[in-house]
Amino acid sequence: MRVIDNEGITDPRINLALEEFALYHMDLDKEDTYLLFYVNKPSIIIGKNQNTIEEINVDYVEEHGVHVVRRLSGGGAVYHDLGNLNFSFLTKDDGNSFHNFKKFTQPVVDALNNMGIPAEMSGRNDLQADGKKISGNAQFSSRGRMYSHGTLMLDSRTENIVSALNVKDEKIRSKGIKSIKSRVGNINDYLDEPLSVEEFKNLLLRHIFEDSPEIPFYTLTDEDWAEVHRISEKRYSNWDWNYGKSPSFDIHRSHKFDAGLIDIRFNVRKGVIQSCKIYGDFFGTAEVADIEQALEGTRYEMDALRENLAPYRLQDYFGPIEDEEFFSLLY
């Protein structure tokens, strides 16, 4: 495993482009795994299948200059700032690692435990300490490669989470900052002496590479950085990618499954689906646009829906969900 040096960049548009560059361009046959650490200036990182405008507090974002950037992986929107350290393990997809968050978070949990922090895996994709969330994780897989990445809240301004994000849970929203602080924790709260992000990163690296005489780094070439900036301009600095179009729909059905939230919206005319958009924080390996396109032009009745979706393995798109659960949501 080698560590990619991001040279201290804090622009989320560059860091996400660097992650994408590493996924598709690094030699994962020669090197099994790459590890990338990065810190972003205040930003909201949107899950691939989410409706951006419904996830953010537009007034706060504009007033405070918060970056809004969509990532490649599924999952929910997260708030990043300079007190939050992000990690990403990039590797070959062996067919058994996608959805296996523990495989990638365990080295981090072990390192945190070694520092005296009672970190443990919680739920689908979180790490917690004493019942408080300290990390959220997501994954993306493409062309036989994948990454598993996550946040580590070291000294994050948790009060800004409520302000920057549209919190949908009524119980959380009504209690505001007090409720968030009861559910979310900073790692420094568990340490006798607070750490800077750089000190924290170095401690993690020393633990992860404790059996190596030195930590092997990969330094990007000028050609590498040119490609990273090209990816950033094409995708992560692109309004259409980050916000996209959010047309109005006349049928709206959503449900929170164990696999995550699935939110489906239709326009139906004369009993036929004219347009369809699917949002959510689920993790799939296939493009949900396939399902949207399969549904468009379909009669809005159960037999027709089943027939048109028969060629598709729904678990590839939405993770561990039963077919009947999905069809019950559709109709």
Side-chain angles (χ1 to χ4, degrees):
M1 181 162 62
R2 297 175 75 184
V3 180
I4 300 169
D5 181 7
N6 90 318
E7 301 184 6
I9 289 170
T10 59
D11 185 333
R13 298 164 298 188
I14 300 296
N15 282 325
L16 289 177
L18 172 55
E19 190 172 45
E20 180 176 341
F21 168 82
L23 182 71
Y24 290 125
H25 296 280
M26 301 295 254
D27 189 353
L28 294 179
D29 293 317
K30 181 178 179 182
E31 195 75 36
D32 282 344
T33 305
Y34 284 90
L35 173 59
L36 170 67
F37 282 111
Y38 58 91
V39 177
N40 286 327
K41 63 185 72 173
S43 50
I44 298 173
I45 310 301
I46 303 291
K48 180 178 182 181
N49 299 304
Q50 291 189 294
N51 185 348
T52 299
I53 211 69
E54 292 185 359
E55 298 297 328
I56 67 173
N57 179 340
V58 175
D59 291 339
Y60 181 90
V61 164
E62 292 181 349
E63 181 181 348
H64 291 84
V66 176
H67 291 281
V68 177
V69 187
R70 186 185 301 278
R71 63 181 186 266
L72 287 175
S73 61
V78 290
Y79 178 78
H80 287 185
D81 62 17
L82 297 175
N84 175 76
L85 178 65
N86 303 286
F87 64 92
S88 181
F89 290 96
L90 302 106
T91 187
K92 288 180 284 190
D93 186 352
D94 60 8
N96 297 311
S97 297
F98 197 80
H99 291 122
N100 184 358
F101 286 97
K102 186 174 182 179
K103 173 180 177 179
F104 298 99
T105 58
Q106 195 60 51
V108 176
V109 169
D110 291 343
L112 293 173
N113 291 163
N114 196 50
M115 297 178 205
I117 299 158
E120 60 183 354
M121 193 78 190
S122 171
R124 181 174 57 143
N125 58 323
D126 293 340
L127 301 183
Q128 66 175 19
D130 288 340
K132 290 188 174 185
K133 179 178 176 177
I134 58 172
S135 169
N137 294 266
Q139 295 180 338
F140 175 71
S141 175
S142 176
R143 305 180 198 168
R145 296 164 172 240
M146 67 168 290
Y147 61 65
S148 187
H149 58 184
T151 59
L152 286 167
M153 291 192 295
L154 178 70
D155 191 23
S156 193
R157 298 287 296 274
T158 54
E159 63 270 22
N160 291 340
I161 297 173
V162 175
S163 302
L165 295 172
N166 276 338
V167 182
K168 293 184 175 65
D169 188 318
E170 183 60 40
K171 287 185 290 186
I172 297 177
R173 188 166 59 244
S174 63
K175 296 180 181 177
I177 293 170
K178 182 179 178 182
S179 181
I180 286 290
K181 289 199 170 190
S182 73
R183 294 166 180 252
V184 173
N186 274 315
I187 291 165
N188 265 346
D189 295 340
Y190 299 91
L191 298 173
D192 294 332
E193 293 290 333
L195 297 170
S196 70
V197 171
E198 189 67 20
E199 290 169 334
F200 179 50
K201 181 181 77 173
N202 289 333
L203 276 175
L204 289 172
L205 284 172
R206 283 205 295 272
H207 179 85
I208 292 170
F209 289 92
E210 61 182 348
D211 296 327
S212 301
E214 61 181 28
I215 298 171
F217 279 90
Y218 177 83
T219 301
L220 274 74
T221 65
D222 290 343
E223 291 78 11
D224 291 340
W225 279 117
E227 180 63 14
V228 169
H229 283 275
R230 189 194 69 78
I231 294 170
S232 175
E233 285 299 314
K234 182 178 179 181
R235 190 190 303 279
Y236 301 104
S237 302
N238 186 323
W239 187 93
D240 284 339
W241 168 256
N242 291 325
Y243 283 85
K245 297 179 175 62
S246 301
S248 60
F249 293 92
D250 51 27
I251 295 179
H252 180 193
R253 300 176 68 87
S254 67
H255 186 74
K256 184 79 171 178
F257 298 98
D258 290 342
L261 175 72
I262 301 178
D263 180 324
I264 306 177
R265 309 188 186 192
F266 303 110
N267 275 322
V268 177
R269 296 289 178 270
K270 297 182 179 179
V272 175
I273 298 172
Q274 303 298 315
S275 55
C276 172
K277 187 68 182 173
I278 302 175
Y279 299 107
D281 61 5
F282 47 85
F283 296 107
T285 57
E287 294 289 338
V288 76
D290 296 344
I291 304 298
E292 294 169 345
Q293 291 166 10
L295 289 172
E296 291 175 1
T298 302
R299 294 191 314 279
Y300 189 51
E301 52 95 8
M302 185 59 81
D303 288 345
L305 294 171
R306 288 183 184 278
E307 180 181 348
N308 274 30
L309 292 183
Y312 301 93
R313 186 175 181 272
L314 297 178
Q315 292 73 24
D316 292 340
Y317 297 89
F318 304 106
I321 183 175
E322 298 294 330
D323 287 2
E324 289 308 310
E325 292 179 312
F326 185 76
F327 283 111
S328 294
L329 175 63
L330 271 183
Y331 192 75

